[in-house]
Amino acid sequence: MKSQNELGRYLAVRRSRVTPRSAGITVLDRRRVPGLRREEVADLAGVSAVYYTRLEQGRARNPSDAVLDALARVLLLDPTERAHLHDLAHRGRDGRTAHRTAPPGGERGTDENGEHGAGAGGAGTRDGLKRLLAAVGAVPAYVLGPAMDVLDANGLARSLLAHPGREAPARWNLALQVFLDPTARRMYPRWEEVARQTVGFLRLSGGRRPRDPRLAEVVARLSGRSEEFRSMWSEQEVRDKTFGTKRFRHPVVGELDLAYETLALPGDEGCHLVVFTAPDPRADAALRLLGSWTAADPVGTNGTVGTVGTNGPEERTQRHRVPPGTVDEPVRPVGSVGSAESSVVAERG
C-alpha cells in the first residue's frame, strides 16, 4: 500500500471520469480521452494550472481545505470520496491520519500461516464487546478491524460466514476470503458488488491509516495473488461500510438477503461492529433455522463447522424444520460447499 503521491493518482483518476458536459464545458475540439484536462480542473476550482499540475505530480504539498473542497466539487465527489481526498492530502501534515495500528487489546503476533493470534473466540477483543456479541446472539454480529480482519464474532456470524466441514478459525480476513477463497463466488451470488465494496473499504481505510502494517500486508497479498483485485484497486474507488443489504447463498439455509448496520467503535479506533438482521419473513426463518443448527452443535465444539453424524448439514436441516406459516416456501440447503478447495479464509499463506 504505497503512500507516495497517492493524492496525485487519486486526482488524475477522478479527473478522467468527469466529462466536459457534466462540468458545464462546451467541447469544440476532438479529445483523446473523455475526462477533463488539468487546466480545466484548475480553472473550475479557482487555482492556477501550474499549481494543480504540481499537485498531481506530487510536487506541491499541504493544499488548504478550501482548495481541496473546490477540487472535490469540480470532480463531483460524494461525501465519502471528499473525506478520502482530505485524508490523502493531510498525510504527514498534522498527524490526523496517523491512527494507532494495533487492534483492540494490544499487539498480537502471527503464526506460520499468517493468522493473528487472537485465541479461540477472539481473545483480543475487550470483555464489553464479547458481552455485546453474546447479547445479540439471535442475529449474526462481528467486530471488523480496519484491514477487514474479523476480530471476534458470535456463533451465528461464524455459521453464516464459515463453511460446513471446515475447521473453524478463531479469526479470519473477509477481504482475503472474497478474492482468494474459491467458494466465495458461491457464497456471495452478487460477488462483484461485494468485491467492489471490499476494495473501496480497504482504500478508504488505507487513506485514514497510511502507516498501518496490517493493511499494507493485506493489500500486498491481494495485489500479488488476484488480478481482479489489482484491476479494481487501480480504479481508486472508496466506499464506507454503513448500511445496506447483502445476499448470501448458504449450504444449510439456502439463499437469503440480510440487512446490515455498521457501527463505528469510538473506543477501538478503526474498528466496527457489523450486525445483520432479517428484512423479511423468509430471511427471519432462515436465520432461526441457522440459529437452531448452530445451537445444536456450536462452532468450535468439535473443531469443525456443521458436521453431524454421517450426513452433515443436510441431516441437521431435516431435524430443525422451519415453523409452519412463516415463509411461502421451505428453506432448503443448496448443497455442501467443497472444503478441500478452500484454504484461504483463515489466511493460510
Side-chain angles (χ1 to χ4, degrees):
M1 189 173 58
K2 297 179 180 179
S3 60
Q4 187 176 7
N5 199 27
E6 282 289 328
L7 174 63
R9 282 191 285 270
Y10 187 63
L11 288 172
V13 170
R14 300 304 308 203
R15 171 171 62 86
S16 70
R17 296 181 184 174
V18 181
T19 64
R21 176 176 295 182
S22 65
I25 297 175
T26 301
V27 178
L28 300 176
D29 58 347
R30 289 188 176 183
R31 296 195 172 213
R32 297 179 180 176
V33 293
L36 296 180
R37 293 167 175 164
R38 285 174 175 171
E39 57 269 23
E40 291 169 339
V41 174
D43 181 62
L44 291 170
V47 300
S48 73
V50 172
Y51 177 71
Y52 179 77
T53 299
R54 290 171 62 85
L55 274 179
E56 276 202 10
Q57 294 174 344
R59 297 188 293 119
R61 305 289 182 182
N62 303 331
S64 68
D65 287 345
V67 168
L68 294 172
D69 287 338
L71 291 174
R73 172 180 52 79
V74 173
L75 299 176
L76 307 179
L77 303 185
D78 65 25
T80 298
E81 294 163 343
R82 180 188 298 258
H84 183 63
L85 178 67
H86 279 264
D87 284 338
L88 296 180
H90 289 184
R91 285 180 173 181
R93 187 174 84 181
D94 56 12
R96 200 179 73 176
T97 58
H99 301 305
R100 64 183 178 91
T101 61
E107 295 286 350
R108 295 192 285 270
T110 59
D111 62 16
E112 65 274 11
N113 292 323
E115 292 187 29
H116 288 244
T125 52
R126 52 191 171 87
D127 290 342
L129 285 178
K130 291 180 180 299
R131 290 193 296 270
L132 179 59
L133 290 173
V136 296
V139 294
Y142 58 87
V143 177
L144 190 69
M148 301 195 72
D149 292 306
V150 177
L151 305 180
D152 205 347
N154 63 16
L156 198 53
R158 292 182 181 277
S159 296
L160 177 68
L161 298 173
H163 298 296
R166 172 185 296 164
E167 183 179 348
R171 179 180 174 192
W172 69 98
N173 184 279
L174 293 183
L176 296 180
Q177 178 194 46
V178 167
F179 283 96
L180 303 184
D181 187 338
T183 67
R185 294 172 193 269
R186 297 168 65 182
M187 179 179 180
Y188 300 111
R190 298 171 180 168
W191 181 87
E192 184 172 353
E193 178 184 332
V194 172
R196 290 190 176 280
Q197 290 174 345
T198 298
V199 172
F201 179 76
L202 284 177
R203 186 169 280 285
L204 181 67
S205 189
R208 294 169 175 169
R209 307 172 67 85
R211 301 177 184 87
D212 191 319
R214 176 58 178 163
L215 266 168
E217 175 191 353
V218 170
V219 171
R221 185 177 300 187
L222 289 170
S223 298
R225 299 177 62 179
S226 172
E227 182 177 350
E228 287 169 303
F229 177 84
R230 290 194 298 272
S231 176
M232 293 181 187
W233 184 257
S234 69
E235 295 175 9
Q236 296 281 338
E237 292 284 351
V238 291
R239 301 191 188 186
D240 205 354
K241 287 186 70 67
T242 51
F243 61 91
T245 302
K246 183 172 290 187
R247 176 164 295 177
F248 295 88
R249 182 182 293 122
H250 194 275
V252 172
V253 298
E255 195 164 299
L256 70 160
D257 292 331
L258 295 178
Y260 66 87
E261 297 285 340
T262 305
L263 309 175
L265 299 174
D268 300 277
E269 197 169 355
C271 297
H272 296 79
L273 175 66
V274 182
V275 181
F276 287 95
T277 57
D280 55 63
R282 187 187 187 285
D284 180 68
L287 278 185
R288 285 188 283 111
L289 172 60
L290 187 59
S292 63
W293 178 75
T294 303
D297 187 11
V299 174
T301 298
N302 56 13
T304 61
V305 184
T307 52
V308 181
T310 59
N311 296 324
E314 288 79 4
E315 177 181 294
R316 189 191 306 275
T317 305
Q318 295 300 319
R319 293 181 184 180
H320 301 282
R321 298 187 180 277
V322 181
T326 57
V327 290
D328 294 331
E329 59 183 11
V331 180
R332 295 187 177 90
V334 297
S336 179
V337 177
S339 60
E341 61 183 352
S342 308
S343 58
V344 201
V345 172
E347 292 188 60
R348 292 175 174 83

